[in-house]
């Protein structure tokens, strides 16, 4: 579902119950700033928030059901607002420890990732692939954001989609690196332990110097604007970038791994 529709439903429920933003925050024991961020679209509502708001406003599960419907008919519910933030971003910093970032994936690679393990029906796989491909126009539009990618070398050596498919994916990385607003770095295996072995992330710098953090894990992800989280991940990003290969050395490595010219 469209996140704006969900926010309108929340505001209508508050108005019907004659509850202010501050009043809702007190009832559900969330901070007023979080409620305000959700109602202005700066933060994506979680299922926990939706359930608590339903109980506080007496909406009979409406907000939770709308959120569930959105998860069934698009990308993951937590991720729904992220493409909009990507579109507004001035600068995007991506780190991936085990796969090629979504904005750089071939359709073949994306399909192999989405279908791994048979967890999704084929139609759901195609929805996820379509969503991922639709986001990639960001790199080639007029006035794209600056995009800096740090990819672990292990992601380049894993034959996702088979050796031939991975070879084509490496070719896509070389093509993307030629774009004027894309910087591509490889974190070499011989670095050993590094500061973000627990998972990947995206740091987005938005107009007005606002910053957002996108995290993903095995169960679900999260979009956050907590200053302490962003500060920690910013320090991790600086460490990773400092340990990564230069742009030219990174492309040399990708060319060496690529089988076909």
């Amino acid at each position: 579902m469209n996140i704006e529709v969900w926010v309108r439903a929340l505001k209508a429920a508050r108005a019907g119950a004659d509850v202010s933003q501050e009043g809702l925050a007190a009832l559900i024991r969330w901070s007023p700033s979080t409620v305000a961020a959700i109602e202005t679209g700066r933060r994506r509502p979680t299922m926990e928030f939706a359930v608590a708001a339903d109980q506080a406003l007496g909406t009979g599960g409406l907000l939770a059901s709308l959120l569930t419907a959105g998860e069934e008919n698009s990308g993951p519910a937590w991720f729904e607002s992220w493409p909009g933030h990507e579109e507004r971003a001035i600068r995007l910093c991506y780190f991936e420890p085990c796969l090629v970032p979504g904005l750089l994936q071939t359709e073949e690679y994306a399909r192999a990732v989405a279908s791994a393990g048979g967890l999704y029906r084929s139609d759901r796989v195609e929805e996820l692939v379509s969503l991922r491909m639709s986001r990639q126009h960001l790199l080639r539009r007029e006035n794209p954001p600056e995009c800096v990618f740090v990819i672990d070398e292990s992601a380049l050596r894993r034959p996702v989609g088979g050796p031939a498919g991975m070879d084509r994916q490496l070719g896509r990385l070389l093509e993307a690196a030629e774009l004027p607003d894309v910087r591509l770095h490889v974190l070499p295996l011989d670095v050993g332990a590094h500061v973000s072995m627990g998972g990947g992330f995206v740091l987005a710098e938005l107009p007005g110097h606002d910053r957002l953090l996108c995290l993903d894990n095995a169960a679900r992800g999260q979009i956050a604007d907590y200053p302490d989280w962003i500060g920690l991940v910013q320090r991790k990003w600086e460490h990773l970038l400092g340990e990564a290969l230069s742009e030219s050395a990174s492309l040399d490595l990708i060319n060496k791994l690529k089988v076909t010219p």
Side-chain angles (χ1 to χ4, degrees), residues 66-85:
L66 286 174
L67 206 57
T68 300
E71 186 168 3
E72 291 174 350
N73 295 309
S74 63
W78 70 269
F79 189 77
E80 185 176 310
S81 67
W82 182 252
H85 297 311

Side-chain angles (χ1 to χ4, degrees), residues 1-258:
M1 62 166 289
N2 188 312
I3 188 61
E4 295 180 0
V5 173
W6 192 93
V7 169
R8 287 201 297 270
L10 172 63
K11 290 179 177 179
R14 274 203 306 102
D18 195 23
V19 175
S20 66
Q21 277 189 358
E22 294 77 8
L24 177 61
L27 288 171
I28 64 177
R29 298 183 180 180
W30 286 53
S31 71
S33 62
T34 297
V35 176
I38 288 173
E39 290 202 353
T40 56
R42 290 185 293 112
R43 288 190 60 181
R44 176 68 167 78
T46 64
M47 184 56 68
E48 293 83 0
F49 181 93
V51 169
D54 275 328
Q55 292 175 344
L57 300 174
T59 49
L62 172 65
L63 298 174
S65 64
L66 286 174
L67 206 57
T68 300
E71 186 168 3
E72 291 174 350
N73 295 309
S74 63
W78 70 269
F79 189 77
E80 185 176 310
S81 67
W82 182 252
H85 297 311
E86 279 185 330
E87 290 286 343
R88 296 193 301 118
I90 299 169
R91 189 170 191 258
L92 294 163
C93 300
Y94 293 78
F95 171 66
E96 281 292 355
C98 61
L99 78 165
V100 171
L103 288 182
L104 301 177
Q105 291 177 7
T106 64
E107 185 172 335
E108 183 179 10
Y109 186 102
R111 185 170 289 105
V113 171
S115 60
L119 298 180
Y120 300 111
R121 302 185 313 269
S122 60
D123 57 338
R124 180 59 173 159
V125 168
E126 293 308 312
E127 288 176 0
L128 294 172
V129 172
S130 178
L131 174 64
R132 184 154 299 178
M133 294 299 102
S134 70
R135 291 169 48 219
Q136 294 186 359
H137 82 282
L138 183 76
L139 300 178
R140 299 179 183 275
R141 76 178 192 198
E142 186 177 355
N143 298 320
E146 178 188 3
C147 294
V148 187
F149 299 90
V150 175
I151 309 173
D152 195 277
E153 182 181 343
S154 62
L156 306 180
R157 293 183 178 274
R158 186 181 299 278
V160 174
M166 190 63 204
D167 199 62
R168 287 186 283 273
Q169 176 61 72
L170 294 174
R172 174 64 62 83
L173 293 179
L174 295 173
E175 292 172 3
E178 295 179 356
L179 296 172
D181 294 286
V182 171
R183 291 171 50 199
L184 182 61
H185 299 269
V186 176
L187 185 68
L189 289 173
D190 59 16
V191 165
H194 59 76
V195 295
S196 196
M197 297 185 74
F201 58 82
V202 186
L203 276 168
E205 181 181 338
L206 305 175
H209 303 291
D210 288 335
R211 292 192 296 173
L212 280 179
L213 174 64
C214 183
L215 302 169
D216 199 358
N217 60 44
R220 61 173 296 151
Q222 185 173 7
I223 298 170
D225 58 358
Y226 306 123
D228 53 340
W229 289 22
I230 290 175
L232 174 62
V233 174
Q234 179 67 43
R235 293 195 295 276
K236 289 188 174 187
W237 170 254
E238 291 167 0
H239 276 283
L240 292 166
L241 198 57
E243 293 182 315
L245 299 175
S246 67
E247 291 182 77
S248 60
S250 297
L251 298 182
D252 286 344
L253 175 58
I254 294 172
N255 271 304
K256 289 177 183 177
L257 294 174
K258 195 174 186 311

